[in-house]
C-alpha cells in the first residue's frame, strides 16, 4: 500500500489520550464500584482498547459488572487478589506488535508475567488475541498471555480467541464473543438478561454557556498544543512539522508515488535511521459536509460526549468539548466500513423493519450478515521508516497514494496518503503547510560494527529506510571508517515508470557507498521478475556473506507475499549452497532473527 504510518482515525484519540491520574489498585476500584469483571487491553492503535470497552459494556447483559482497564495504569502484581472478589473474571484483549512483541502499554505486564511465579489459583481468565497472519509471530502476545496465566494456576473459562487482521478481525472478535458469553453464563451460573437494546457508554451534552477558548480544534492531548508547541513531542503531543519538499517520484503510470520531507528544526526530536514517523491526517472536507447534510446537523455546534461510567479513567472517546465538524474531521474514522457494534446501533434508528433486520444480521456473525457487509478496505497501519540521522532536522516519507474502485463502483481514497499528496510546500495565502507528527523508535538498525556487510531488500516504497541507511554508510565512509559491503535489492514495475530514487541510488553506487545495486523490473519483460529471483541468482555470494562474513539482512515492504517469498528463498539458498536440510535451514534463519541479523519491517 505505501509507507505512511498514519494512526487509524477512530484510534487517534485513544492513542493520544491525556494520561489519567494513576490509580494503582484495580482490585480496590472493583470492590468500591461493585464490579466483578475486568477487561485489560494491550493496544497500540486502539482496536484492542475498543474491543475491551465493548466486552465490559456487554457484561451487564450477562449478569456481570465490567470495567475496561489499561494495564499500564494499574499494579498488575495485584492479579492474584482477583480471587478475593466472588464470581470474578479477568479478560485480556492483547494485540501483538512488531515482531511478536507486546504493545507499549502492555510491556510492564509482559515483564511481570515473565519474571514472576505468583499463584493465580482462584483467578478466572479468558484471552482474545489480535494479530495478523502475514507476520511471522502471529498472535504471539495473545498465545503467551493465555499459556502463562494457566501456568501460574489461573483457570481458563473459555478458549483463546485469535483475531486475524489480514482476514476480518471484527468478524473473528464477534464470533469469539458470541461463544464466550454463553461460557461465562455456564461457568458462573448466571443468565443472559435477554435485553438486546444498546447499552449507552457516552451521553451527548450540548453546553449552553461555552468559552470557545476551551474547545478542542483537533489537538490530541493538551488544549491549544498546536498554538503553543512544547517538547517532548509524542503521540499525545505531536509536533507541527513544516512540509519542506513534496515531489512525485514516478515518471509515469497510473499510481502517484511521493517523497515528502518534514522540517523538524527546533523541535528537539531525535531519531536514528530506520525509526518510524507517525502522522495525524484529517478527513476529506467534502465527506464531512455530506455527513452533516445527511444528519441535518449544524456541524459547528459544540458538543461533549461524557462517559456514563463516572469511575472510568477515560472520560471522553476523543478530546471534548469540541464541534461535530472537528470530531468528524480529526477524531473519527468516517471512510471505512462500520464495525458490527456500530451497525447494531444504527439498526435501532432504521424506520423500515426490513432495513432494521438487515442491519441486525450484518451486526451478527451469521452467514447472511456477512453477505451484506459493504466492501471497502480494512483499517491498515503501515509504518514509514524515517530517513537518515545524517540530516537531523529533516525526516522523509515515501508513500504510494491509495485510490481504487471498489466492487460496487465506489472510488475509495486513502485518508492519509491523499491528505499528504495535497500538502503543497507553500499555500496560496503564503502559509507553509504543516503535518502533525512524532517519531517512534524502531528495532530496524544498522549493525554496530560498520565493517559488517549489509544486505537490504526493499521493493517499492519498502526502499524508504534504506535511503537512510545508505546516507549513514556514506557518512561513515567519509569519516574514514572501514565500511563493509552494502548491497541493495530493489524492485518495481518498470525502469521508466517507478524506479524510485534512481538518480540517488546510481550516485551512491558511483561513490562506492552502494557496492551492488540489484533491480528487478517485474513488467519490463515477458516473464515477471521479482527481488527473490535476483537473490537466487546471487546465491553463492549471499551465502558467503551470511555464513562467513556475519552479514546483516534487512527486509522492508509487503508482508503478505514479498517478505514470505524472500524468506523461502533464503531457506532455498541455505539448502542448495549451505547443504542444510529444510528443517535445518528454517532453524538457521530463525537463529539469525534471534541474533538481530535478519530484521523485518513489513506491513500488509
Amino acid at each position: 500500500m505505501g509507507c505512511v504510518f498514519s494512526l487509524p482515525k477512530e484510534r487517534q484519540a485513544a492513542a493520544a489520550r491525556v494520561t489519567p491520574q494513576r490509580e494503582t489498585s484495580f482490585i480496590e476500584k472493583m470492590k468500591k464500584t461493585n464490579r466483578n469483571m475486568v477487561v485489560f487491553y494491550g493496544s497500540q492503535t486502539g482496536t484492542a482498547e475498543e474491543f475491551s470497552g465493548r466486552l465490559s459494556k456487554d457484561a451487564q447483559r450477562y449478569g456481570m459488572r465490567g470495567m475496561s482497564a489499561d494495564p499500564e495504569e494499574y499494579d498488575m502484581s495485584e492479579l492474584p487478589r482477583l480471587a478475593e472478589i466472588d464470581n470474578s473474571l479477568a479478560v485480556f484483549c492483547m494485540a501483538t506488535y512488531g515482531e511478536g512483541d507486546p504493545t507499549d502499554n502492555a510491556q510492564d505486564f509482559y515483564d511481570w508475567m515473565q519474571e514472576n511465579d505468583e499463584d493465580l489459583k482462584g483467578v478466572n481468565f479468558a484471552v482474545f488475541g489480535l494479530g495478523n497472519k502475514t507476520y511471522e509471530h502471529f498472535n504471539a502476545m495473545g498465545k503467551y498471555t493465555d499459556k502463562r496465566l494457566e501456568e501460574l494456576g489461573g483457570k481458563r473459562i473459555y478458549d483463546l480467541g485469535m483475531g486475524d487482521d489480514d482476514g476480518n478481525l471484527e468478524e473473528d472478535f464477534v464470533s469469539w464473543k458470541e461463544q464466550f458469553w454463553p461460557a461465562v453464563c455456564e461457568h458462573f451460573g448466571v443468565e443472559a438478561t435477554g435485553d438486546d437494546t444498546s447499552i449507552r457508554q457516552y451521553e451527548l451534552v450540548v453546553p449552553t454557556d461555552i468559552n470557545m477558548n476551551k474547545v478542542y480544534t483537533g489537538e490530541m492531548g493538551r488544549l491549544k498544543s498546536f498554538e503553543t508547541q512544547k517538547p517532548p513531542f509524542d503521540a499525545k503531543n505531536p509536533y507541527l512539522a513544516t512540509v519542506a519538499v513534496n515531489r512525485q517520484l514516478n515518471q509515469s503510470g497510473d499510481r502517484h508515488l511521493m517523497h515528502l520531507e518534514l522540517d523538524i528544526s527546533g523541535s528537539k526530536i531525535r531519531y536514528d535511521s530506520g525509526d518510524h514517523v507517525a502522522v495525524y491526517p484529517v478527513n476529506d472536507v467534502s465527506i464531512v459536509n455530506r455527513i452533516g447534510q445527511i444528519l441535518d446537523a449544524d456541524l459547528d455546534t459544540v458538543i461533549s460526549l461524557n462517559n456514563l461510567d463516572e469511575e472510568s479513567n477515560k472520560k471522553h472517546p476523543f478530546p471534548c468539548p469540541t464541534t461535530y465538524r472537528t470530531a468528524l474531521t480529526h477524531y473519527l474514522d468516517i471512510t471505512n466500513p462500520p464495525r458490527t457494534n456500530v451497525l447494531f446501533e444504527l439498526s435501532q434508528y432504521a424506520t423500515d423493519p426490513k432495513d432494521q433486520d438487515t442491519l441486525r444480521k450484518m451486526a451478527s456473525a451469521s452467514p447472511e450478515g456477512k453477505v451484506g457487509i459493504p466492501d471497502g478496505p480494512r483499517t491498515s497501519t503501515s509504518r514509514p521508516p524515517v530517513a537518515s540521522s545524517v540530516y537531523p532536522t529533516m525526516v522523509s516519507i515515501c508513500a504510494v497514494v491509495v485510490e481504487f474502485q471498489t466492487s460496487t463502483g465506489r472510488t475509495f481514497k486513502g485518508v492519509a496518503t491523499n491528505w499528504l499528496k495535497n500538502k503543497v510546500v507553500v499555500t496560496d495565502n503564503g502559509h507553509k503547510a504543516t503535518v502533525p507528527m512524532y517519531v517512534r523508535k524502531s528495532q530496524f538498525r544498522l549493525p554496530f560494527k560498520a565493517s559488517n556487510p549489509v544486505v537490504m531488500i526493499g521493493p517499492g516504497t519498502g526502499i524508504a529506510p534504506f535511503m537512510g541507511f545508505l546516507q549513514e554508510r556514506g557518512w561513515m565512509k567519509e569519516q574514514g571508517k572501514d565500511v563493509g559491503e552494502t548491497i541493495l535489492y530493489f524492485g518495481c514495475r518498470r525502469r521508466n515508470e517507478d524506479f524510485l530514487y534512481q538518480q540517488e541510488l546510481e550516485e551512491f553506487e558511483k561513490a562506492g557507498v552502494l557496492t551492488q545495486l540489484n533491480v528487478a523490473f517485474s513488467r519490463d519483460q515477458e516473464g515477471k521478475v521479482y527481488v527473490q529471483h535476483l537473490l537466487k541468482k546471487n546465491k553463492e555470494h549471499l551465502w558467503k556473506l551470511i555464513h562467513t562474513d556475519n552479514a546483516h539482512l534487512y527486509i522492508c515492504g509487503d508482508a503478505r507475499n514479498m517478505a514470505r517469498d524472500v524468506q523461502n528463498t533464503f531457506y532455498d539458498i541455505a539448502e542448495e549452497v549451505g547443504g542444510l536440510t529444510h528443517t535445518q535451514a528454517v532453524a538457521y534463519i530463525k537463529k539469525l532473527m534471534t541474533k538481530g541479523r535478519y530484521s523485518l519491517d513489513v506491513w500488509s
Side-chain angles (χ1 to χ4, degrees):
M1 151 172 160
C3 205
V4 172
F5 167 38
S6 69
L7 299 180
K9 301 305 293 294
E10 76 274 34
R11 310 290 172 249
Q12 292 180 353
R17 63 191 183 283
V18 179
T19 306
Q21 193 175 348
R22 195 177 177 92
E23 183 172 347
T24 55
S25 178
F26 68 88
I27 297 294
E28 294 309 316
K29 183 170 181 176
M30 289 176 75
K31 287 179 177 178
K32 189 169 74 177
T33 57
N34 195 28
R35 321 268 174 139
N36 60 351
M37 174 174 156
V38 58
V39 190
F40 292 106
Y41 55 86
S43 188
Q44 197 68 32
T45 59
T47 310
E49 180 180 1
E50 186 206 325
F51 287 178
S52 165
R54 283 160 66 178
L55 283 171
S56 64
K57 201 166 81 160
D58 286 346
Q60 67 189 73
R61 287 199 188 107
Y62 300 92
M64 306 286 281
R65 275 181 53 79
M67 65 177 251
S68 175
D70 182 342
E72 194 173 37
E73 292 171 10
Y74 294 99
D75 179 1
M76 294 305 289
S77 66
E78 282 206 327
L79 196 56
R81 287 188 58 202
L82 194 63
E84 296 172 15
I85 299 172
D86 291 339
N87 289 337
S88 59
L89 169 65
V91 183
F92 296 84
C93 291
M94 308 303 284
T96 298
Y97 185 68
E99 298 305 311
D101 304 317
T103 57
D104 291 348
N105 77 310
Q107 185 65 55
D108 290 346
F109 173 53
Y110 176 71
D111 294 342
W112 176 83
M113 285 192 290
Q114 284 198 310
E115 294 160 11
N116 287 279
D117 287 311
E118 299 208 30
D119 187 4
L120 295 186
K121 191 180 177 190
V123 173
N124 300 303
F125 76 90
V127 179
F128 182 81
L130 295 83
N132 186 311
K133 270 198 176 131
T134 59
Y135 289 82
E136 174 92 8
H137 307 281
F138 174 59
N139 255 315
M141 190 59 187
K143 290 174 185 172
Y144 178 77
T145 304
D146 184 69
K147 175 171 158 280
R148 186 61 180 146
L149 294 178
E150 185 182 49
E151 286 172 355
L152 293 173
K155 182 172 175 59
R156 183 189 296 106
I157 67 147
Y158 188 60
D159 296 340
L160 165 68
M162 289 200 287
D164 177 20
D165 198 30
D166 188 49
N168 190 322
L169 192 57
E170 171 72 14
E171 195 178 291
D172 295 338
F173 175 65
V174 171
S175 300
W176 178 83
K177 192 166 65 107
E178 288 182 357
Q179 301 300 314
F180 162 76
W181 284 118
V184 170
C185 292
E186 188 180 338
H187 182 85
F188 293 112
V190 294
E191 287 185 15
T193 61
D195 180 10
D196 221 16
T197 57
S198 170
I199 299 162
R200 290 270 168 261
Q201 188 174 354
Y202 298 99
E203 67 170 342
L204 175 69
V205 175
V206 180
T208 49
D209 182 22
I210 190 74
N211 177 353
M212 293 308 287
N213 286 322
K214 298 282 174 72
V215 175
Y216 283 88
T217 56
E219 303 94 329
M220 300 302 150
R222 180 174 58 83
L223 192 66
K224 307 292 181 193
S225 60
F226 289 154
E227 289 178 24
T228 52
Q229 295 246 281
K230 295 175 188 170
F233 297 103
D234 54 25
K236 298 161 193 170
N237 182 33
Y239 178 67
L240 278 180
T242 303
V243 179
V245 175
N246 185 352
R247 64 183 172 96
Q248 185 168 351
L249 288 170
N250 52 316
Q251 293 80 29
S252 59
D254 55 0
R255 299 182 303 161
H256 182 99
L257 293 117
M258 58 190 171
H259 169 88
L260 284 94
E261 289 178 23
L262 307 180
D263 188 345
I264 56 169
S265 305
S267 67
K268 297 185 179 172
I269 292 173
R270 298 286 174 267
Y271 68 87
D272 294 301
S273 302
D275 282 345
H276 302 138
V277 57
V279 301
Y280 287 97
V282 300
N283 283 313
D284 187 323
V285 173
S286 63
I287 300 174
V288 171
N289 290 334
R290 179 79 181 115
I291 291 170
Q293 288 168 2
I294 292 167
L295 300 177
D296 193 24
D298 177 359
L299 292 179
D300 296 313
T301 302
V302 175
I303 58 157
S304 187
L305 280 183
N306 300 340
N307 200 325
L308 288 166
D309 178 359
E310 291 178 4
E311 297 296 329
S312 173
N313 280 347
K314 192 172 181 183
K315 301 302 179 191
H316 313 282
F318 46 74
C320 290
T322 189
T323 63
Y324 285 122
R325 187 183 304 281
T326 298
L328 290 166
T329 304
H330 293 273
Y331 302 136
L332 298 172
D333 180 351
I334 61 174
T335 55
N336 270 311
R339 292 196 185 277
T340 54
N341 63 312
V342 177
L343 291 168
F344 181 81
E345 299 263 356
L346 290 171
S347 73
Q348 294 173 71
Y349 295 96
T351 49
D352 185 331
K354 199 173 170 186
D355 287 346
Q356 192 173 72
D357 185 52
T358 302
L359 284 164
R360 280 179 179 253
K361 276 180 181 161
M362 285 165 69
S364 74
S366 67
E368 315 97 276
K370 289 173 194 174
V371 172
I373 289 175
D375 65 350
R378 294 179 300 280
T379 298
S380 101
T381 301
S382 53
R383 303 181 298 278
V386 168
S388 168
S389 50
V390 172
Y391 301 102
T393 62
M394 290 284 176
V395 294
S396 304
I397 293 173
C398 173
V400 56
V401 174
V402 177
E403 184 172 339
F404 60 87
Q405 288 255 300
T406 69
S407 57
T408 57
R410 182 170 67 93
T411 298
F412 178 85
K413 292 185 174 186
V415 174
T417 55
N418 279 277
W419 175 74
L420 284 170
K421 177 189 174 186
N422 295 318
K423 283 281 173 186
V424 291
V425 176
V426 180
T427 60
D428 292 340
N429 59 11
H431 289 131
K432 290 185 175 179
T434 56
V435 170
M437 53 75 69
Y438 67 96
V439 167
R440 193 176 190 285
K441 291 294 169 191
S442 158
Q443 298 304 310
F444 213 60
R445 289 278 180 273
L446 279 170
F448 181 72
K449 284 174 69 178
S451 57
N452 284 121
V454 163
V455 178
M456 305 169 289
I457 302 149
T461 55
I463 194 172
F466 303 136
M467 295 306 293
F469 281 11
L470 287 167
Q471 287 167 3
E472 194 151 324
R473 298 279 272 191
W475 179 80
M476 287 174 180
K477 209 172 167 66
E478 282 172 17
Q479 303 305 303
K481 290 189 180 177
D482 176 19
V483 178
E485 281 192 59
T486 306
I487 297 166
L488 175 68
Y489 285 83
F490 173 68
C492 60
R493 292 178 180 179
R494 296 182 174 89
R495 175 184 283 276
N496 296 326
E497 183 180 302
D498 54 356
F499 187 171
L500 307 185
Y501 302 109
Q502 179 179 358
Q503 191 181 336
E504 291 94 327
L505 290 173
E506 287 171 353
E507 282 170 9
F508 278 130
E509 193 178 24
K510 197 174 168 186
V513 175
L514 190 50
T515 45
Q516 198 183 105
L517 174 60
N518 306 279
V519 186
F521 302 106
S522 62
R523 301 181 189 182
D524 268 351
Q525 60 287 307
E526 202 174 312
K528 288 192 175 176
V529 175
Y530 296 114
V531 285
Q532 61 267 26
H533 299 127
L534 301 188
L535 290 167
K536 206 71 179 282
K537 221 179 241 184
N538 297 328
K539 59 186 180 182
E540 282 85 8
H541 183 221
L542 282 168
W543 180 250
K544 178 187 175 292
L545 288 173
I546 298 165
H547 194 62
T548 312
D549 300 343
N550 210 31
H552 286 234
L553 310 177
Y554 300 90
I555 296 97
C556 184
D558 165 53
R560 190 180 286 108
N561 298 308
M562 183 276 296
R564 193 176 290 166
D565 291 342
V566 165
Q567 197 161 320
N568 287 331
T569 300
F570 279 115
Y571 293 156
D572 292 344
I573 291 170
E575 290 171 53
E576 293 167 19
V577 188
L580 307 183
T581 64
H582 182 68
T583 309
Q584 287 171 332
V586 170
Y588 187 93
I589 299 300
K590 282 256 193 307
K591 196 172 179 183
L592 289 180
M593 288 178 179
T594 310
K595 288 180 170 180
R597 285 181 51 208
Y598 191 110
S599 301
L600 294 151
D601 192 344
V602 293
W603 57 85
S604 65

